[in-house]
Amino acid sequence: MKNLETRRSIRKYADREVSDDLLNRLLEQALRTQTMGNLQLYSVVVTRDEEKKRQLAPAHFNQPMVTQAPVVLTFCADFRRTTKWAHCRKADPGYDNFLSFINAATDALLYTQTFCCLADEEGLGYCYLGTTVYQPMSIIETLQLPQLVMPVATITLGWPDEQPPLSDRLPLKAVIHQETYCDYTPELIDQFYMPKEQLPENQEFVRINNKETLAQVFTDLRYTRCDNEALSTVLLDALRHQGFLS
């Protein structure tokens, strides 16, 4: 598929609106995504208002595309709607737990990916923001998310105003295991990662960060143990607040 093979994260957008008709058509088409028990355990908050985008920006470390993009979409794991349906139909729901969050988060992320593929086909550009789960309480407050609704993904969406280079990927054999998991030996690590490490842009990345290896850039600077543990605490607190860890 040409669109997937040339997919890029777009962080700069043209001064051109994404129409409601187009957006709603893609969101509706994405409803055919696979879902647990046919329950569609997700909701999407569409943000177009400039002030609301400014309120969301700090949760995403003030990355400029949050306020520059015509549309910001926040995809949420949502067991509230199903729970309310159960209450209204003489049923006793038991979805205030971690397993239910995982099921709803899986539904929401599958829906997100389907939407992204559809957006690619239309020529739209987007950027997936992994920061959504870093400071979820800020997003929860800004979007007024009730209990059993948890933000899990955000994309900025618009018409591309840039053509960034394709980012590198590991080869298929690095991620596929036949029948059982085959653990990675030092020799396989060299085979899979050395081409990535030898790319000029990655060697420059290592140099400007004053590190010895590319792996050190990730472990010491980008995704550190200290940050991961602190943000894990923040995420768990948010899950308790939203009723998924009762």
mmCIF file of all heavy atoms in Angstrom, residues 25 35 66 92 95 104 183 239 245:
data_model
loop_
_atom_site.group_PDB
_atom_site.id
_atom_site.type_symbol
_atom_site.label_atom_id
_atom_site.label_comp_id
_atom_site.label_asym_id
_atom_site.label_seq_id
_atom_site.Cartn_x
_atom_site.Cartn_y
_atom_site.Cartn_z
ATOM 1 N N ARG A 25 -17.009 11.972 7.933
ATOM 2 C CA ARG A 25 -17.022 10.794 7.060
ATOM 3 C C ARG A 25 -15.916 9.814 7.445
ATOM 4 O O ARG A 25 -16.142 8.599 7.533
ATOM 5 C CB ARG A 25 -16.864 11.213 5.594
ATOM 6 C CG ARG A 25 -16.728 10.021 4.642
ATOM 7 C CD ARG A 25 -16.925 10.429 3.203
ATOM 8 N NE ARG A 25 -15.951 11.385 2.739
ATOM 9 C CZ ARG A 25 -14.715 11.061 2.322
ATOM 10 N NH1 ARG A 25 -14.313 9.792 2.333
ATOM 11 N NH2 ARG A 25 -13.894 11.994 1.872
ATOM 12 N N THR A 35 -13.638 -4.451 17.441
ATOM 13 C CA THR A 35 -13.880 -3.926 18.782
ATOM 14 C C THR A 35 -14.315 -5.060 19.703
ATOM 15 O O THR A 35 -14.991 -6.001 19.258
ATOM 16 C CB THR A 35 -14.973 -2.833 18.752
ATOM 17 O OG1 THR A 35 -15.382 -2.528 20.082
ATOM 18 C CG2 THR A 35 -16.190 -3.262 17.942
ATOM 19 N N VAL A 66 0.115 21.529 18.114
ATOM 20 C CA VAL A 66 -1.151 21.415 18.843
ATOM 21 C C VAL A 66 -2.013 22.650 18.606
ATOM 22 O O VAL A 66 -3.232 22.554 18.428
ATOM 23 C CB VAL A 66 -0.907 21.206 20.347
ATOM 24 C CG1 VAL A 66 -2.224 21.186 21.122
ATOM 25 C CG2 VAL A 66 -0.138 19.900 20.582
ATOM 26 N N ASP A 92 -25.926 -5.061 35.766
ATOM 27 C CA ASP A 92 -24.964 -4.655 36.798
ATOM 28 C C ASP A 92 -23.552 -4.656 36.214
ATOM 29 O O ASP A 92 -22.904 -5.700 36.146
ATOM 30 C CB ASP A 92 -25.047 -5.622 37.988
ATOM 31 C CG ASP A 92 -24.106 -5.223 39.121
ATOM 32 O OD1 ASP A 92 -23.699 -4.047 39.160
ATOM 33 O OD2 ASP A 92 -23.776 -6.092 39.952
ATOM 34 N N TYR A 95 -17.078 -2.660 35.350
ATOM 35 C CA TYR A 95 -16.032 -2.191 34.453
ATOM 36 C C TYR A 95 -15.129 -1.131 35.082
ATOM 37 O O TYR A 95 -14.415 -0.420 34.375
ATOM 38 C CB TYR A 95 -16.668 -1.654 33.163
ATOM 39 C CG TYR A 95 -17.607 -2.653 32.537
ATOM 40 C CD1 TYR A 95 -18.915 -2.312 32.208
ATOM 41 C CD2 TYR A 95 -17.188 -3.966 32.303
ATOM 42 C CE1 TYR A 95 -19.777 -3.243 31.648
ATOM 43 C CE2 TYR A 95 -18.049 -4.896 31.748
ATOM 44 C CZ TYR A 95 -19.338 -4.537 31.421
ATOM 45 O OH TYR A 95 -20.194 -5.458 30.876
ATOM 46 N N ALA A 104 -10.684 -1.188 26.856
ATOM 47 C CA ALA A 104 -11.152 0.051 26.231
ATOM 48 C C ALA A 104 -10.008 0.783 25.534
ATOM 49 O O ALA A 104 -10.193 1.360 24.454
ATOM 50 C CB ALA A 104 -11.804 0.948 27.283
ATOM 51 N N ASP A 183 14.549 -15.335 21.302
ATOM 52 C CA ASP A 183 15.191 -14.231 21.996
ATOM 53 C C ASP A 183 16.360 -13.673 21.181
ATOM 54 O O ASP A 183 16.951 -14.362 20.344
ATOM 55 C CB ASP A 183 15.682 -14.682 23.379
ATOM 56 C CG ASP A 183 15.780 -13.523 24.355
ATOM 57 O OD1 ASP A 183 15.468 -12.377 23.960
ATOM 58 O OD2 ASP A 183 16.164 -13.756 25.510
ATOM 59 N N LEU A 239 -5.685 7.020 36.479
ATOM 60 C CA LEU A 239 -6.601 5.894 36.355
ATOM 61 C C LEU A 239 -7.467 5.730 37.592
ATOM 62 O O LEU A 239 -8.655 5.398 37.502
ATOM 63 C CB LEU A 239 -5.809 4.613 36.067
ATOM 64 C CG LEU A 239 -5.223 4.479 34.663
ATOM 65 C CD1 LEU A 239 -4.300 3.268 34.578
ATOM 66 C CD2 LEU A 239 -6.341 4.362 33.623
ATOM 67 N N LEU A 245 -9.260 2.113 38.716
ATOM 68 C CA LEU A 245 -8.515 1.371 39.734
ATOM 69 C C LEU A 245 -9.220 1.577 41.060
ATOM 70 O O LEU A 245 -8.704 2.191 41.969
ATOM 71 C CB LEU A 245 -7.063 1.850 39.821
ATOM 72 C CG LEU A 245 -6.161 1.558 38.610
ATOM 73 C CD1 LEU A 245 -4.784 2.145 38.828
ATOM 74 C CD2 LEU A 245 -6.070 0.055 38.358
#
